[in-house]
Amino acid sequence: MSKQTKYLLDDSRIPEAWYNINADLPVPLDPVLNPGTMQPATPDDFAPLFPMSLILQEVSSERWIEIPEPVREVYSLWRPTPLIRARRLEAVLDTPAHIYYKYEGVSPVGSHKPNTAVAQAFYNKDAGIKAMTTETGAGQWGSALAFACNLFDIDLEVYMVKVSYQQKPYRRIMMETYGAEVYASPSERTHSGKGILAQDPDSSGSLGIAISEAVEAAATSGGSKKYGIGSVLNHVLLHQTVIGQEAIEQMEMAGEYPDILVGCAGGGSNFAGLSYPFIHHKITKDLDTRIIAVEPAACPTLTKGKFTYDFGDTAAVAPVVKMYTLGHTFVPAGIHAGGLRYHGMSPSLSALVEHGLMEALAVGQLATFDAAVQFAKSEGIIAAPESAHAIKVVVDEALKCKESGEEKVILFNLSGHGHFDMTAYQAYLGGELEDYAYPAEAVAEAMTHLPDVS
Ligand SMILES: Cc1ncc(COP(=O)(O)O)c(C=O)c1O
């Protein structure tokens, strides 16, 4: 065997620090606003939700933040994750492109989400917290925090978007196996949930609604519960940068440097995790790497949304941030990539797109599953529907190389496996999967509810 396929690092190569993009943004981020006063939030405003160590990370502009040893120890259960050259996909596509993927599906729960879940559970434990709340879309984030909370002896209450709760019962059982309590959202347990159900008893839920419920449950707990979030905020993206740091070292082992980086983007955490360490290169070494975020056509935040202040959640209880948004009241169609059904996008990622340092593309559900099945048949891995969005764009870029004859190096993040997403694959194989047209009217309506921050 002369051709190398896997690039592996040993435990000692688990990064020792997270990379903070805030140190290198072309323009500082706009301040986060308190949803009650619409004034810039202070660290104390976040204190009911997060321990101070995470709040300080959220606003830090230090370039490198040390990873605590107990977190690195848990990471060593699955990190460093492999970098794999997709030689069989290259052959099937008959492309001169070199395709690599960083595979985050090897974590105990099957995605990149534990990279931040373990860190968040550690800092909550360190602050003496005994219970947390969170939301989950597809169930990947909820499973990750359930796994992490169990390791650090913290109780967890999960609000799971109703459409996913129904489509993915096994994810719920997984969370319960780790000891978490799981509720379908909207639920009758919170004011936000009751409000939504009063308007629409059949609401399929959304990440925005589930966030409202989880935030409310923590904020009204009198300090006994804190909230954990799976994406969007700076500290979450920060914790994911272990992905890109390892990938840089592994691409060096392969003797190549990516011309194109690709990742799917829901709130932006796996994409940022892979790409931010490369953006550091792009800025400091003046490279022209193309960095592409891929989102669903049914929820096209970066490609069709507006860069403006909006609430992070549907019931307007979460902080107001400047980001690309489709409007916080927008409820996306029930596509199978539940983790990509979010109206907004991380503020730092939004700013990088706005400043032209990265680009975004939207793809349809059917084309995404075509690519996912092609990937499964060539590389063997059945991707999470979210990650499949990245595969679709990688296939397109590799086919462009075939036409032009260019030997480009493409690196993408395979953020998770789809072993709990068989109903989605079943629908695809049975010819029952739908494409959803861009919901222009619903977005236009949601845009009329943007907060006035003048
Ligand atoms: C496997 C997988 N990839 C991607 C995402 C999208 O989230 P993010 O944009 O924060 O990476 C999710 C969210 O649930 C996910 O489960």
Side-chain angles (χ1 to χ4, degrees):
M1 272 209 316
S2 58
K3 288 183 182 169
Q4 191 162 353
T5 304
K6 290 194 300 300
Y7 298 89
L8 304 174
L9 297 168
D10 66 38
D11 291 16
S12 68
R13 304 311 302 152
I14 295 172
E16 288 175 10
W18 291 300
Y19 166 62
N20 184 4
I21 193 83
N22 285 355
D24 291 318
L25 286 176
V27 187
L29 289 178
D30 291 288
V32 173
L33 307 182
N34 177 313
T37 62
M38 289 297 168
Q39 294 302 310
T42 63
D44 284 345
D45 289 340
F46 292 114
L49 298 184
F50 305 109
M52 200 43 80
S53 43
L54 288 175
I55 297 172
L56 294 178
Q57 284 184 0
E58 185 64 25
V59 295
S60 168
S61 51
E62 254 177 69
R63 182 167 290 113
W64 298 101
I65 295 180
E66 193 183 331
I67 306 178
E69 213 35 50
V71 174
R72 290 183 78 233
E73 262 170 37
V74 179
Y75 279 174
S76 72
L77 286 172
W78 73 96
R79 302 213 72 83
T81 59
L83 178 87
I84 301 169
R85 171 115 180 239
R87 291 187 187 272
R88 287 168 192 274
L89 180 65
E90 288 170 16
V92 168
L93 297 174
D94 190 22
T95 174
H98 295 187
I99 303 174
Y100 293 85
Y101 61 96
K102 181 74 170 150
Y103 187 38
E104 289 295 305
V106 296
S107 81
V109 299
S111 78
H112 64 295
K113 297 284 181 182
N115 297 332
T116 182
V118 171
Q120 291 187 41
F122 166 80
Y123 288 114
N124 274 281
K125 177 75 179 177
D126 203 41
I129 303 304
K130 295 197 167 48
M132 292 179 69
T133 70
T134 198
E135 72 287 334
T136 194
Q140 288 270 22
W141 164 244
S143 328
L145 194 60
F147 155 72
C149 279
N150 171 59
L151 291 182
F152 289 98
D153 208 11
I154 296 172
D155 292 339
L156 178 66
E157 186 174 307
V158 184
Y159 292 86
M160 183 172 190
V161 176
K162 196 187 280 168
V163 60
S164 295
Y165 185 93
Q166 288 160 348
Q167 282 172 355
K168 302 187 177 187
Y170 297 127
R171 274 279 167 203
R172 170 174 60 75
I173 296 163
M174 189 171 187
M175 291 183 257
E176 288 169 352
T177 302
Y178 291 124
E181 287 172 21
V182 187
Y183 304 99
S185 166
S187 78
E188 294 284 352
R189 293 173 58 82
T190 65
H191 287 297
S192 330
K194 282 183 199 157
I196 299 280
L197 288 172
Q199 283 168 21
D200 177 8
D202 297 325
S203 169
S204 58
S206 72
L207 268 181
I209 295 170
I211 293 173
S212 301
E213 294 209 270
V215 166
E216 185 187 319
T220 57
S221 70
S224 66
K225 294 176 192 168
K226 298 275 186 215
Y227 165 67
I229 182 161
S231 191
V232 182
L233 294 186
N234 297 335
H235 68 271
V236 180
L237 275 57
L238 172 83
H239 300 153
Q240 292 294 352
T241 58
V242 288
I243 303 174
Q245 292 184 65
E246 289 173 7
I248 286 174
E249 207 173 323
Q250 289 163 309
M251 289 301 301
E252 273 168 19
M253 287 164 80
E256 306 222 70
Y257 194 88
D259 299 300
I260 305 177
L261 283 179
V262 184
C264 67
S269 77
N270 86 89
F271 178 63
L274 177 71
S275 66
Y276 281 8
F278 285 94
I279 292 217
H280 182 52
H281 283 182
K282 188 166 165 156
I283 297 169
T284 53
K285 300 184 182 172
D286 202 21
L287 301 176
D288 62 357
T289 319
R290 276 184 73 200
I291 304 184
I292 310 172
V294 190
E295 54 187 14
C299 189
T301 315
L302 289 166
T303 48
K304 291 267 176 46
K306 195 169 160 190
F307 185 54
T308 185
Y309 269 107
D310 196 7
F311 292 99
D313 70 323
T314 304
V317 294
V320 177
V321 292
K322 180 99 175 266
M323 61 179 174
Y324 274 95
T325 178
L326 295 166
H328 63 280
T329 55
F330 171 66
V331 178
I335 51 168
H336 284 274
L340 305 186
R341 293 178 72 239
Y342 181 58
H343 67 273
M345 188 56 68
S346 139
S348 60
L349 208 150
S350 297
L352 287 163
V353 170
E354 183 69 7
H355 289 289
L357 279 155
M358 38 174 66
E359 56 192 282
L361 291 172
V363 296
Q365 181 161 248
L366 279 173
T368 296
F369 274 84
D370 285 341
V373 169
Q374 191 168 36
F375 187 77
K377 286 183 169 170
S378 51
E379 294 295 316
I381 296 174
I382 299 183
E386 291 82 2
S387 323
H389 287 71
I391 299 176
K392 161 66 183 148
V393 167
V394 168
V395 167
D396 288 350
E397 290 298 326
L399 291 176
K400 280 187 208 160
C401 289
K402 181 178 176 179
E403 263 176 41
S404 66
E406 287 170 290
E407 204 178 270
K408 287 192 179 159
V409 177
I410 305 174
L411 167 62
F412 75 99
N413 199 24
L414 187 55
S415 53
H417 67 61
H419 297 177
F420 292 89
D421 299 284
M422 289 304 144
T423 44
Y425 280 88
Q426 184 181 32
Y428 171 80
L429 297 173
E432 286 156 17
L433 208 65
E434 285 177 73
D435 256 340
Y436 295 94
Y438 170 60
E441 264 176 39
V443 172
E445 205 281 323
M447 287 297 187
T448 64
H449 303 289
L450 289 176
D452 178 8
V453 291
S454 51

